[in-house]
Amino acid sequence: REAGRRTYIPVMSGENKLSWQVKDLIPNSEYYFRVKAVNKIGGGEYLELRNPIIAEDPKQPPDPPVDLEVHNPTSKSVTLTWKPPLFDGGSKIMGYIIEKLAKGKERWERCNDYLVPLLTYPVKGLEEGKEYQFRVRAENAAGISEPSRITPFVKAVDPIEAPKVFLAANLQSGLEVKRGDEIILEAHISGSPYPSITWLRNDEVVRPEEIKKRVTTYTRKKKGETEEEEPFQLSLPERMSIDNHKEGESILSVRDSIRADHGTFTIKVENDHGVAKASCEVNVLDTPGPPVNFVFEDVRKNSVICKWEPPLDDGGSEILNYVLEKKDNTKAEMGWVTVSSTLRHCKFHVTKLIEGKEYLFRVFAENRVGPGPPCVSKPMTAKDPFSPPDPPNKPDVQDATSNSMLVKWNEPKDNGSPIIGYWIEKREINSTHWARVNRNLVNALEIKVEGLLEGLTYLFRVCAENAAGPGKFSPPSDPKTAQDPIMPPGPPIPRIADTSSTSIELEWEPPAYNGGGDITGYHVYKQLMGVNEWSRCTEKPIKVRQYTVKEVREGADYKLRVTALNAAGEGPPGETEPVTVAEPKEPPTVELDVSVKAGIQIMAGQTLKIPATVTGRPTPTIEWAVEEGELDKDRVVIENVGTKSELTIKNALRKDHGRYVITATNSSGSKSAGTRVEVFDVPGPVLDLKPVVTNRKMCLLNWSDPEDDGGSDIIGFIVERKDAKMHTWRVAIDTERSKCDITGLVEGQEYKFRVSAKNKFGTGPPVEIGPILAVDPLVVPGPPSCPEVKDKTKSSVALAWKPPQKDGGSPIKGYIVEMQDEGSTDWKKVNEGDTLFPTCECVIPNL
């Protein structure tokens, strides 16, 4: 029970144990406990504590700290770290006690005056060079723990570490500030011993300096000059400060930055074990400086080309634009006028200047910060540095034709500017008006003037033009009349067309140049090889372009010439190669016309033509033949004209088909060519037409295919019939077979029939048969009935019988009776001679 209550609460019952752990107590509360024994009869008396028990953990000193380690030893200090005890003794750890033991000493010395609440402690006041051991104790309300594990000996000396330095992260890619902003460079440093720090700018050491007092100087300005005051600026060391008070950091700052501050800032740290550097590109953005080297090019009376070079300092930013301004320098009250404010290049052609005026120009450069100071030019007067060119000399006119002339002249003095071209004018000699010849400037020293009128006389004059304009015209040329000059013609182009044993055939092409006049004729010359003289073959000029040269020796070699003549005379000759006078020997060639080479197919009745070309020297003999047959000389016409040979057959017949061959033969050989000729026609007449069966109602005809199918497959037959007494045929049937059943005949009538064969070209000639009587066919009659004896005597017998059932298609003419003697095998005729018994009874006498 709780000390403040009277009621006990059972915490254990029925257990046969002499101890029990009571749980779920309220910490720091007071409790009374009682115990009684129980057997099967019942419970005994309680044994009760006299004094209450407080519910609290038992208190004892904590376990020693663990994992004691030594860090960062120097010549005067070390840093210790550890971990708390595994068991705090049931009471909160209030702090730790650190102890040290110098090597060679026996007594541990306490390092901290007050308990250390943390798990680390810097031990200071060590003697440089001595070795120390360390241990730590933990303390709680119950007392102080045993010491921790003792560290190994640690010597109090500074560590060896090469210096290191790196700039703040925002400076890794450089620093860009605007003019007037503060430049702040922060660096982080390490090293042992702690290194010395030096800042450099563009590899030169910079250190802060005190602001110096300036001495004001006065400069006299010339009359008319504008005074441009340079702004007062402190030097970089006077505006710079370096903060190194915090170990591990160094901060350089420059206030009121100016453009000249840009550059590479470097921090150098150094100790006994090395040197380290870190650099940062600092860019101070400002307006660009003035452009430089402003010059003028191509000064004219109303324009000028201004050129300059970019500023030496672009202000730390790309030049985006140039602004060009001009000013009338003859009037002081006139201000600056913008010429262009969007210039990307360092060159501009200024136009619309007033001739004779003096101008000033200035140009600004702009970057993204703004425009910089201007660069002002020297005064410039708008005037041309040259004058128009002098006039050329008198032109020379050449090569006159009926509608054109060639005008030439010399180049005059250009008077300071290159000549860009010439203007040419013409005038008819009886006119006072000069007309311009060329629409555009001519940059040559000659021109072909066209479009002149034949028979008129012309004068020409020329003037030159340069950048200052056109100059004066030259003196007029000498008069020249527009007419074609006539020259002897050029040489014809001869060739040997043929030779024989007594002559040479010569042909030629007209000359390419007729000399300006019509060709009036040609002369032909010959020269025997080995003789220097040429002899003319033509008495008078000939107009035809062919000539047969005769009076030549067979086997000799000759050269031939042809000359052309016009109104100006005889022109130079065109000459052939040497040629031998001889009858040429050429084997024959035979070439069928391309239209018949692949074969000829025509219908009967059409005209067959086979043209061919035959060549050869001497002229071949020509023979036409047809394979597997002979030509019908009465119908075949053969024409041989020159090299052409043609075989013609009018009203071609079916029998004219076959392979036709032309053969050409001369002393050099023989040559043949052939082509296949197909003559298509209707089929011929059918063969073996005959009736197979005829009766009173129908007739069965049979026949064979024609001997000639007309050059195409038989596709059928046409069978016609007519009454023998009628004149009109009518179609009975159209059949594909070689037989036909004709029905519907009238018994006793006579009929005629005809059959024609068909192919794709038409129907052939018919074959007739008949007349045929429409009756059943005649056969022997059937047997009569068995004869019966009607009467008999001693010497005769009277017989009777019935006629046969079938008379064989014809009335019974009579009967023949035969008898046989008993015992004999031979039958004997009873009738006398050829006599027939006309009725179905008879008497046989003389028995």
Side-chain angles (χ1 to χ4, degrees):
R1 69 177 172 85
E2 294 183 26
R5 298 174 180 266
R6 295 193 176 196
T7 304
Y8 279 93
I9 299 173
V11 295
M12 184 273 284
S13 176
E15 297 289 342
N16 187 15
K17 293 183 179 180
L18 298 179
S19 63
W20 190 256
Q21 183 178 3
V22 181
K23 298 181 179 180
D24 299 330
L25 300 182
I26 298 173
N28 300 319
S29 296
E30 293 185 345
Y31 291 91
Y32 285 96
F33 297 91
R34 66 181 183 180
V35 182
K36 70 175 179 179
V38 179
N39 62 11
K40 62 182 180 178
I41 301 299
E45 293 183 359
Y46 282 102
L47 172 64
E48 186 176 350
L49 291 176
R50 290 185 177 181
N51 298 316
I53 299 298
I54 299 175
E56 60 180 355
D57 291 334
K59 297 178 179 178
Q60 65 184 47
D63 288 351
V66 296
D67 296 341
L68 175 62
E69 293 181 355
V70 180
H71 303 279
N72 301 329
T74 68
S75 59
K76 296 182 179 179
S77 66
V78 296
T79 301
L80 302 179
T81 61
W82 59 89
K83 294 181 180 178
L86 298 177
F87 177 56
D88 61 3
S91 178
K92 180 181 179 181
I93 301 294
M94 295 184 294
Y96 297 92
I97 299 170
I98 294 89
E99 296 176 327
K100 66 181 178 182
L101 175 66
K103 191 173 185 179
K105 301 280 186 171
E106 295 182 356
R107 185 168 172 271
W108 287 86
E109 296 181 12
R110 181 165 173 164
C111 301
N112 54 324
D113 296 332
Y114 304 100
L115 290 176
V116 176
L118 305 175
L119 297 176
T120 180
Y121 181 73
V123 179
K124 300 180 180 179
L126 303 181
E127 294 184 26
E128 186 174 2
K130 282 193 173 183
E131 295 184 14
Y132 293 89
Q133 286 183 306
F134 300 91
R135 67 184 184 183
V136 181
R137 298 172 184 264
E139 183 175 345
N140 64 4
I144 300 173
S145 71
E146 291 295 321
S148 67
R149 180 182 58 81
I150 300 172
T151 66
F153 281 104
V154 177
K155 194 171 186 178
V157 292
D158 287 329
I160 297 174
E161 181 184 356
K164 295 180 181 178
V165 61
F166 58 91
L167 297 172
N170 63 327
L171 304 176
Q172 297 298 319
S173 60
L175 177 64
E176 188 175 85
V177 297
K178 287 187 177 181
R179 175 191 174 118
D181 293 347
E182 186 175 7
I183 300 172
I184 300 177
L185 303 177
E186 180 181 349
H188 299 277
I189 305 160
S190 64
S192 180
Y194 192 70
S196 62
I197 301 170
T198 306
W199 283 91
L200 303 94
R201 176 179 171 274
N202 296 336
D203 296 330
E204 293 185 3
V205 177
V206 289
R207 294 185 179 87
E209 296 179 1
E210 293 184 359
I211 299 175
K212 300 175 183 177
K213 185 176 181 181
R214 261 58 176 182
V215 177
T216 304
T217 58
Y218 296 93
T219 57
R220 295 180 61 184
K221 63 178 181 178
K222 295 181 181 179
K223 185 177 181 181
E225 289 184 352
T226 57
E227 184 177 0
E228 294 185 3
E229 295 184 359
E230 292 187 1
F232 173 74
Q233 297 287 353
L234 294 174
S235 65
L236 177 65
E238 291 174 318
R239 292 179 284 110
M240 184 179 71
S241 62
I242 297 176
D243 183 5
N244 293 333
H245 78 279
K246 185 176 181 181
E247 187 173 335
E249 285 186 0
S250 179
I251 298 175
L252 180 145
S253 59
V254 180
R255 64 185 182 278
D256 300 329
S257 63
I258 60 175
R259 172 63 188 153
D261 295 339
H262 76 280
T264 303
F265 284 78
T266 304
I267 181 173
K268 182 175 77 172
V269 295
E270 184 176 6
N271 65 8
D272 296 338
H273 307 295
V275 179
K277 293 181 180 181
S279 298
C280 175
E281 290 288 338
V282 176
N283 186 20
V284 180
L285 296 179
D286 198 358
T287 57
V292 295
N293 298 334
F294 195 110
V295 294
F296 297 109
E297 289 185 355
D298 199 15
V299 179
R300 302 293 178 88
K301 62 185 179 183
N302 52 14
S303 67
V304 68
I305 295 177
C306 297
K307 285 185 67 175
W308 59 91
E309 294 179 6
L312 300 177
D313 182 11
D314 62 2
S317 176
E318 179 188 4
I319 300 296
L320 302 176
N321 188 44
Y322 292 98
V323 179
L324 180 63
E325 296 178 342
K326 69 179 180 180
K327 179 181 178 182
D328 187 350
N329 203 32
T330 59
K331 297 181 181 179
E333 67 276 8
M334 296 295 289
W336 290 94
V337 177
T338 300
V339 176
S340 178
S341 59
T342 57
L343 298 178
R344 297 284 296 171
H345 304 289
C346 298
K347 183 177 181 180
F348 188 72
H349 188 198
V350 182
T351 58
K352 299 181 180 179
L353 301 181
I354 300 174
E355 185 176 4
K357 278 200 173 185
E358 185 178 78
Y359 291 91
L360 282 178
F361 291 88
R362 68 181 184 182
V363 64
F364 304 85
E366 284 185 345
N367 61 9
R368 57 190 172 103
V369 177
C375 173
V376 183
S377 73
K378 295 179 179 180
M380 186 278 303
T381 301
K383 64 178 182 179
D384 286 335
F386 42 77
S387 60
D390 290 348
N393 294 338
K394 182 172 70 172
D396 182 23
V397 182
Q398 303 174 359
D399 301 339
T401 69
S402 61
N403 61 1
S404 68
M405 296 181 189
L406 181 64
V407 181
K408 295 185 176 182
W409 59 90
N410 71 307
E411 183 178 2
K413 185 179 178 182
D414 61 12
N415 291 332
S417 174
I419 293 174
I420 58 176
Y422 298 89
W423 296 107
I424 300 91
E425 292 184 348
K426 67 181 178 180
R427 178 170 69 86
E428 204 274 321
I429 195 167
N430 295 320
S431 172
T432 58
H433 174 69
W434 288 93
R436 179 70 61 84
V437 170
N438 53 321
R439 293 185 178 181
N440 301 313
L441 281 170
V442 175
N443 56 9
L445 294 175
E446 62 180 37
I447 182 173
K448 186 176 183 181
V449 182
E450 298 181 339
L452 304 179
L453 298 177
E454 187 173 4
L456 296 183
T457 303
Y458 292 90
L459 302 173
F460 297 91
R461 67 181 185 180
V462 183
C463 76
E465 182 176 335
N466 64 7
K472 293 182 180 181
F473 276 97
S474 68
S477 67
D478 294 332
K480 197 80 169 180
T481 302
Q483 60 186 11
D484 287 331
I486 297 178
M487 303 291 290
I493 305 170
R495 66 181 181 85
I496 303 298
D498 198 2
T499 64
S500 70
S501 59
T502 60
S503 65
I504 302 172
E505 293 286 340
L506 182 66
E507 295 178 353
W508 59 89
E509 296 294 330
Y513 172 63
N514 65 3
D518 295 335
I519 301 295
T520 58
Y522 300 92
H523 276 305
V524 178
Y525 297 83
K526 67 180 179 181
Q527 181 193 49
L528 178 65
M529 295 300 293
V531 178
N532 293 329
E533 295 180 359
W534 287 85
S535 60
R536 196 167 74 181
C537 304
T538 50
E539 294 182 6
K540 297 180 180 180
I542 59 174
K543 292 190 176 182
V544 294
R545 296 198 306 274
Q546 61 184 20
Y547 185 77
T548 301
V549 179
K550 298 182 179 180
E551 298 180 4
V552 290
R553 296 203 307 265
E554 184 176 4
D557 292 337
Y558 288 86
K559 276 188 177 182
L560 302 181
R561 279 181 176 177
V562 181
T563 59
L565 294 86
N566 64 7
E570 187 175 4
E575 191 171 307
T576 67
E577 294 293 327
V579 58
T580 301
V581 179
E583 188 73 37
K585 292 185 178 182
E586 297 176 3
T589 63
V590 179
E591 186 74 22
L592 290 174
D593 189 270
V594 68
S595 63
V596 300
K597 271 188 176 182
I600 305 173
Q601 293 181 346
I602 61 172
M603 292 296 297
Q606 293 180 340
T607 300
L608 169 65
K609 287 189 177 183
I610 309 177
T613 301
V614 180
T615 61
R617 301 291 293 273
T619 303
T621 59
I622 300 172
E623 292 184 2
W624 285 89
V626 58
E627 293 181 355
E628 301 176 0
E630 291 185 2
L631 294 177
D632 188 348
K633 296 182 179 179
D634 295 335
R635 298 171 48 247
V636 174
V637 178
I638 297 174
E639 292 184 359
N640 296 319
V641 179
T643 61
K644 303 297 182 183
S645 179
E646 185 175 70
L647 180 145
T648 305
I649 301 177
K650 292 185 178 180
N651 298 319
L653 302 177
R654 170 74 180 133
K655 66 178 183 178
D656 293 330
H657 73 280
R659 178 175 172 81
Y660 285 74
V661 178
I662 178 174
T663 303
T665 306
N666 66 7
S667 58
S668 298
S670 180
K671 186 71 173 181
S672 298
T675 185
R676 185 74 185 177
V677 176
E678 295 287 347
V679 181
F680 297 113
D681 199 355
V682 297
V686 297
L687 304 176
D688 300 331
L689 175 62
K690 60 186 177 180
V692 179
V693 177
T694 303
N695 58 32
R696 67 181 186 277
K697 294 182 180 180
M698 58 85 68
C699 181
L700 173 60
L701 299 178
N702 199 350
W703 61 87
S704 298
D705 288 347
E707 184 177 352
D708 182 11
D709 61 3
S712 177
D713 293 338
I714 301 297
I715 59 175
F717 302 91
I718 298 175
V719 182
E720 299 173 293
R721 81 178 185 194
K722 73 172 182 175
D723 295 344
K725 298 178 181 179
M726 302 295 289
H727 297 286
T728 304
W729 293 89
R730 64 187 182 91
V731 176
I733 196 164
D734 193 343
T735 179
E736 295 180 358
R737 304 171 65 186
S738 298
K739 62 182 179 178
C740 178
D741 290 332
I742 304 173
T743 59
L745 304 181
V746 178
E747 185 177 2
Q749 289 280 355
E750 286 187 336
Y751 294 92
K752 286 188 176 181
F753 302 95
R754 67 181 183 183
V755 178
S756 305
K758 292 192 304 180
N759 63 9
K760 67 178 182 180
F761 300 108
T763 304
V767 176
E768 292 187 19
I769 189 173
I772 297 174
L773 183 64
V775 292
D776 288 335
L778 296 178
V779 296
V780 295
S785 65
C786 184
E788 296 178 0
V789 177
K790 293 294 186 180
D791 193 11
K792 64 182 176 177
T793 67
K794 63 179 181 177
S795 59
S796 64
V797 176
L799 300 177
W801 60 87
K802 292 181 180 179
Q805 293 181 355
K806 294 182 179 180
D807 60 7
S810 179
I812 300 298
K813 295 180 179 179
Y815 299 91
I816 298 173
V817 180
E818 294 179 338
M819 69 178 178
Q820 185 185 65
D821 294 336
E822 186 178 2
S824 176
T825 58
D826 296 328
W827 290 88
K828 294 186 297 182
K829 190 175 178 181
V830 175
N831 305 58
E832 292 182 2
D834 294 329
T835 304
L836 298 178
F837 295 110
T839 62
C840 293
E841 59 185 6
C842 74
V843 176
I844 304 173
N846 303 319
L847 296 177

